[in-house]
Amino acid sequence: MARHVILQFRPEKSRLRESLARLRAHLEALRPQAPEVVVLPETALTGYFLQGGVRELALTRFELLELLSQVHKELAWEGLLDVVVGFYERDEGAYYNSAAYLELPHRIVHVHRKVFLPTYGVFDEERYLARGRRVEAFNTRFGRAAILICEDFWHSITGAIAALDGAEVIYVPAASPARGFQGERPENVERWRTLARAVAAEHGLYVVLASLVGFEAGKGMSGGSLVVGPEGRLLAEAPLFEEAALLFTLDRERIPPVRYDSPLLSDLEAALPLLLPDLERVLAKEVP
Amino acid sequence: MRILEAPKPGETLELNWALVADFLTRFLREELAWRGYDKAIVAVSGGVDSATTLALAVRALGPEGVHALFLPHRQSSPLSREHAHLVAGSFGVRLEEVDITPMVEGYAAQTPDLTPHRKGNLMARARMMVLFDKAEAYRALPLGTGNKTERLFGYYTWHGDDSPPLNPLGDLYKTQVWGLARYLGVPEVVVRKVPTADLIPGQTDEEDLGVRYLRADVILEHYLKGYSDAYLLALGYTEEEIRRVKERVNRTHWKRALPTAALLSSTAIGEFYLRPLDYRP
């Protein structure tokens, strides 16, 4: 059992210090709720659309840890605090759209680098960023987890790899500009809800989506963060377009009975080796 | 056994107006806030676009946070004044009137060959000058009122009515503005009136454009989404309508862009040196 909060956050655009001050104020407000894991959106401390400004605002993972440890210290937070946070990462000469799982105040548990960089329409990530190459689960003090960033999660294969690697929860920091206003919710928000439920139900795990809010030069980040349980049920959902803190307790004990009753993950584990030759074939573009 | 056929897929212009209104209200508040403004100023013409913009601004900032200007020329239709007052009154905003006739006629008197078209552009640019000056006086940010249809057609005066820094309606077609206007309570007489730039007596948008908005917007939406002409012809649109719409879009890409600067370096602004407009580290 781990007490989580999804912090649906609005950064101070391109202003790291101001965003950290805002984060500190929100954590102070949440202190009575005693969260153990705080999940923040993609690019939470700078905003998403920076273009060439990435070069000026990216942090190394060690700088990120130092900045957030400082927040932990200033708050005089009692004990450890785990944080999942999206940030622009600098590593030697390369820049990534990354998300870290930190155990504050001292430990970098894992850093995931976004693999699928959207470069179409309003998105232009590959122009400014290098591509991550790994999807892997990792151990936290509360169990095994994986991180997928935004479009990473829109491809079913990444969730499958995370699940096969033992993830009980997939954290998904996202930044999704609202578009398609025909229905009850924007189309992109509907798509997130459908995907999150499908991936959670297929693999019998939790999906925790933390979605950015705030306008960035006309693009309105949609929010609508959510948590889906291993049965594929939507457990809680944050409002659209505005900051919110969504509290929930993640109960790993639900996972074994759900997977026992619906053993799709073990079916995948058994059948995937049979399909690998076909995967290799289609990737090689061979005609059967 | 029941035999069923899926309906023909297509695009709809009908939106969830409550959701759109909420989104655009937040857009105005947030985009004003980071620029350091809590007030907006709107030039109200008596037409549906500026009425809808005013309605959104009042939702976002309250009537006390919105200045409304009416900027007639002596040639403007008397109906424009009547409707501008009706709109401002409907949303509880005082309407300030500035007559642009002396500005426009001062130049016209020195320019005997001034055509009605050039004079229309002059009026639009005179309005822009007054709007920005009043904005400075009131510490209010000017809001644009242009819709997506006229932006795609280039049906406006460059650096005139397209110049305000924030434009809540810029991604809504004219027919969608009508839908949003009704949701926001814009007086029906304003929503239903024949659209006109009112720059030349007797002028109407649809005569200028040579196609009805209701038809142009459907063609535009399908064209922008990559549907073929054959698809549009099958929907009942004529070759002439399709040609006219595509031609207007493709003749005016320059008008939707900033002025062209010659590129000489690898730090050319907006070409190599790329920063979003809200970047302010």
Side-chain angles (χ1 to χ4, degrees), chain A residues 109-112 134-140 143-148 158-170 205:
Chain A
V109 177
H110 182 76
V111 175
H112 171 74
R134 303 288 309 276
V135 170
E136 54 188 328
F138 53 91
N139 292 320
T140 75
R144 200 158 167 79
I147 297 174
L148 297 173
T158 52
I161 294 170
L164 289 166
D165 203 13
E168 297 162 306
V169 52
I170 301 177
L205 45 66

Side-chain angles (χ1 to χ4, degrees), chain A residues 13 15 51 56 181 218, chain B residues 16 30-31 275 278-280:
Chain A
K13 178 73 181 271
R15 294 186 167 178
Q51 297 184 324
E56 294 160 9
F181 280 74
Chain B
N16 177 344
E30 290 192 28
E31 295 284 355
R275 297 293 183 274
D278 57 351
Y279 187 72
R280 51 189 195 286

Side-chain angles (χ1 to χ4, degrees), chain A residues 201-254:
Chain A
E202 180 180 350
H203 302 306
L205 45 66
Y206 286 88
V207 170
V208 176
L209 169 71
S211 194
L212 204 69
V213 287
F215 276 86
E216 295 193 28
K219 281 95 58 188
M221 298 298 178
S222 60
S225 300
L226 49 82
V227 54
V228 179
E231 300 92 340
R233 282 191 213 125
L234 189 60
L235 301 179
E237 190 173 17
L240 296 174
F241 312 135
E242 63 188 47
E243 283 194 312
L246 193 62
L247 287 148
F248 63 96
T249 300
L250 195 151
D251 179 9
R252 294 165 59 207
E253 301 307 315
R254 279 305 302 152

Side-chain angles (χ1 to χ4, degrees), chain A residues 96-144:
Chain A
Y96 301 93
N97 184 343
S98 299
Y101 190 107
L102 307 174
E103 197 181 273
L104 297 180
H106 296 307
R107 196 158 84 91
I108 299 170
V109 177
H110 182 76
V111 175
H112 171 74
R113 290 171 172 167
K114 191 172 183 179
V115 179
F116 291 94
L117 302 177
T119 305
Y120 61 88
V122 73
F123 306 105
D124 209 9
E125 286 191 33
E126 208 162 0
R127 180 179 181 120
Y128 305 105
L129 298 165
R131 191 185 286 277
R133 306 174 67 85
R134 303 288 309 276
V135 170
E136 54 188 328
F138 53 91
N139 292 320
T140 75
R141 62 193 173 110
F142 300 112
R144 200 158 167 79

Side-chain angles (χ1 to χ4, degrees), chain B residues 165-182:
Chain B
L166 278 190
N167 180 359
L169 305 183
D171 198 21
L172 293 172
Y173 294 108
K174 184 76 176 188
T175 47
Q176 292 175 321
V177 173
W178 286 329
L180 180 60
R182 288 201 166 94

Side-chain angles (χ1 to χ4, degrees), chain B residues 129-200:
Chain B
M129 287 166 59
V130 176
L131 176 65
F132 274 77
D133 180 62
K134 291 288 182 182
E136 183 87 19
Y138 299 136
R139 271 288 301 155
L141 199 75
L143 302 186
T145 64
N147 62 64
K148 189 175 185 174
T149 312
E150 65 185 31
R151 290 183 67 212
L152 283 167
F153 283 167
Y155 187 61
Y156 53 88
T157 300
W158 202 41
H159 297 171
D161 34 333
D162 64 333
S163 51
L166 278 190
N167 180 359
L169 305 183
D171 198 21
L172 293 172
Y173 294 108
K174 184 76 176 188
T175 47
Q176 292 175 321
V177 173
W178 286 329
L180 180 60
R182 288 201 166 94
Y183 173 79
L184 292 170
V186 171
E188 190 61 20
V189 65
V190 173
V191 181
R192 292 178 67 89
K193 74 194 270 192
V194 176
T196 171
D198 196 17
L199 295 173
I200 301 168

Side-chain angles (χ1 to χ4, degrees), chain B residues 99-118:
Chain B
D99 183 1
I100 63 165
T101 308
M103 294 169 69
V104 172
E105 294 306 318
Y107 177 74
Q110 303 172 54
T111 317
D113 65 338
L114 195 65
T115 63
H117 174 76
R118 285 168 57 195

